Amino acid sequence: MHRATRGTGGRTRARLGAAALSGALLLAGCTAASPLAPTTSRASSTPTPTRPTPTGSPAPVAVPVPGITAWTSYHATASRTGAVGAGASLSPLAHAWSADLGGAVFGQPVVAGGRVIAATETNRVVALDPASGNLVWSASLGAPLTDVGSAAGCGDIDPLGITSTPAVDPTTGTVFVVGEVSAGGAVHHQLQGFSIATGQVVLSETVDPPLPAGEDPVHLLQRASLAVANGRVYIGFGGNYGDCGAYRGWVVGVNETGGPGLVAFEAAADGQGGAIWQGGGAPAIDAAGDLYVSTGNSNPDPPSGGPDPVQYAESVVKLSPDLKPLAAFKDRSAGADDDLGTGNPVLMPGGLLFVAGKTDVGFVLRQSDLSQVAAIPGVCGSDPDGGAAYDPATGRLFVPCAGGGIQIVQPATGQRGPRLSGANGAPIDIGGTIWAVRYPGGTLSQFSAATGALLQRQQIGDSVPHFASPSTALGVLLVGTDSGVVAFRGG
């Protein structure tokens, strides 16, 4: 799984003996034609924490600016392109408000129902007024895990509560979050669904995977962002920074209405590892409701040079809505800590998919069977970390690089373009301009997708977590920070 530094979130060990930036999974490619493993399912266990009581006013929030009105999940859409229309002008950018939430916000703030929803590592979930940043409602999932290194044996997020980006079902007006909850000397992962309008709890489920005997949820990190589709909430799991303990990568799917059980995909049924953390990115979902996830290396590290012997390690896996494997692609040159799962798959037009990991190779695959179309070497020159953005007008991809810069990739020609300097977080595309932060320092940059020119750069005013990625809706651009949320709007 992920082992380069995550100072704020991923699953990595230091690479080349150094505490590197954030973990990322290497890849190299060929299509796997091995037999597909069965899905597992089990009944959900009864949640142990009490249902939180929201506080604050349920008064309606005025929409300040017409245009983009919602950002419901990681990188805005199920294809994970990170691309939305221009909406309100964000030029020149000006600070709008800051909300101190008493904890780090690792995931993207999401927007729906006229509210900004953010979740913290202290297991706090809040709805904010997008015009002012004032609190609309607030709730808690329970106590987060603290003293993580002692409890788990490794890890670099402390306290450890809600790490992933929430996801919204706009048809029901529900926002879903998953937090690591510490209770009675044990930890578990808790899914809560809240009414966006009132903050009332509409779903409460324990969502730990069906672990084999001898494995403990304390060794799982729920880092990958949530996804909502097919009437289910999909939740990815990997391991903590340092790969301590016995763990496997998982995706579980929980009915939005709760019970009678969950479905699950186990990435390393024939071994260990195969983390699904994706640099904080979410599973991509196509029009048929099939999911695409990327996975990390087996644990302990396999020999260098690949291929990784665990079936679904160092792979992109296509899953049915009930999480049965449909196809798989394995980067056969990825060994050791060569995480392919350092960023999420991005679905592109023409039935294609892009993914890149620590081998610094970008792969273009067919969505239908995950066969390889192209392999683009030299991406980033340092570990790509987090989800790439795809600009539909130019057909370019923008890949975040742990060592600094946003790498332009041209999938149609299989070539690399220049690297945009001054940012390293997962970018988004707003009307043909690329926005990305620099973590942990805390700057926000805008580039032209067509020319790569720097258009503007702003100080955020706070440090930001690893893999931080902005979001936008209702005329504001939002960034999660180490203490809450900062919002900008056009000057």
Side-chain angles (χ1 to χ4, degrees):
M1 199 169 166
H2 154 223
R3 302 185 199 88
T5 334
R6 303 194 257 80
T8 347
R11 238 207 78 323
T12 89
R13 272 177 233 157
R15 192 172 161 191
L16 300 178
L21 277 171
S22 334
L25 311 178
L26 277 176
L27 45 150
C30 97
T31 304
S34 49
L36 301 174
T39 250
T40 58
S41 65
R42 63 162 188 165
S44 322
S45 54
T46 304
T48 55
T50 57
R51 292 175 180 247
T53 301
T55 60
S57 167
V61 175
V63 176
V65 180
I68 304 163
T69 59
W71 185 283
T72 58
S73 61
Y74 183 83
H75 276 193
T77 66
S79 59
R80 310 306 169 202
T81 62
V84 295
S89 173
L90 293 170
S91 182
L93 200 66
H95 182 274
W97 50 261
S98 299
D100 187 341
L101 304 180
V105 175
F106 271 53
Q108 288 180 319
V110 295
V111 183
R115 287 146 166 69
V116 173
I117 311 294
T120 76
E121 292 293 351
T122 60
N123 273 336
R124 187 184 185 197
V125 184
V126 301
L128 305 173
D129 182 330
S132 64
N134 290 340
L135 184 70
V136 179
W137 55 257
S138 174
S140 173
L141 272 64
L145 180 64
T146 58
D147 197 10
V148 174
S150 295
C154 65
D156 65 350
I157 307 174
D158 200 338
L160 179 56
I162 302 168
T163 309
S164 59
T165 298
V168 171
D169 184 341
T171 62
T172 63
T174 305
V175 60
F176 298 95
V177 301
V178 170
E180 186 155 331
V181 177
S182 178
V187 301
H188 68 277
H189 294 87
Q190 187 73 16
L191 169 67
Q192 298 279 52
F194 296 94
S195 164
I196 294 170
T198 67
Q200 295 295 326
V201 175
V202 298
L203 177 67
S204 183
E205 296 279 338
T206 297
V207 290
D208 290 323
L211 300 179
E215 295 189 12
D216 191 307
V218 76
H219 295 128
L220 293 178
L221 179 64
Q222 203 287 291
R223 184 67 179 95
S225 296
L226 307 188
V228 173
N230 309 313
R232 290 188 172 107
V233 183
Y234 294 102
I235 306 155
F237 292 91
N240 291 299
Y241 173 81
D243 286 343
C244 52
Y247 77 88
R248 301 151 198 253
W250 292 88
V251 181
V252 301
V254 182
N255 293 331
E256 288 189 58
T257 54
L262 58 73
V263 293
F265 164 71
E266 182 178 9
D270 56 340
Q272 291 188 21
I276 298 171
W277 67 282
Q278 303 189 149
I285 303 174
D286 65 19
D290 294 331
L291 286 74
Y292 301 79
V293 297
S294 57
T295 70
N297 52 276
S298 56
N299 191 36
D301 289 350
S304 297
D308 194 307
V310 170
Q311 182 181 11
Y312 292 122
E314 300 289 19
S315 297
V316 176
V317 186
K318 179 179 181 178
L319 302 168
S320 68
D322 58 355
L323 301 184
K324 292 182 172 63
L326 301 175
F329 165 90
K330 182 181 282 283
D331 179 350
R332 299 192 66 82
S333 69
D337 183 31
D338 291 345
D339 285 342
L340 181 55
T342 185
N344 56 276
V346 177
L347 305 186
M348 300 184 295
L352 299 177
L353 171 156
F354 176 83
V355 68
K358 283 186 185 174
T359 53
D360 296 346
V361 177
F363 292 102
V364 179
L365 311 176
R366 293 181 182 88
Q367 295 175 28
S368 58
D369 60 1
L370 298 184
S371 58
Q372 181 176 307
V373 175
I376 305 167
V379 173
C380 282
S382 64
D383 301 342
D385 267 341
Y390 175 78
D391 179 64
T394 62
R396 290 174 154 190
L397 287 150
F398 296 83
V399 183
C401 306
I406 304 295
Q407 177 74 68
I408 296 177
V409 173
Q410 299 167 309
T413 61
Q415 295 177 322
R416 287 181 291 114
R419 195 180 309 158
L420 311 180
S421 63
N424 58 352
I428 63 172
D429 183 307
I430 306 175
T433 65
I434 302 302
W435 294 84
V437 305
R438 182 170 184 83
Y439 62 80
T443 57
L444 176 63
S445 299
Q446 180 191 26
F447 304 92
S448 166
T451 68
L454 175 67
L455 302 178
Q456 57 179 321
R457 180 164 288 152
Q458 268 276 3
Q459 291 292 326
I460 294 170
D462 194 1
S463 59
V464 294
H466 278 50
F467 316 127
S469 186
S471 53
T472 188
L474 303 179
V476 292
L477 191 146
L478 304 157
V479 179
T481 74
D482 283 335
S483 61
V485 176
V486 174
F488 299 88
R489 63 169 56 96

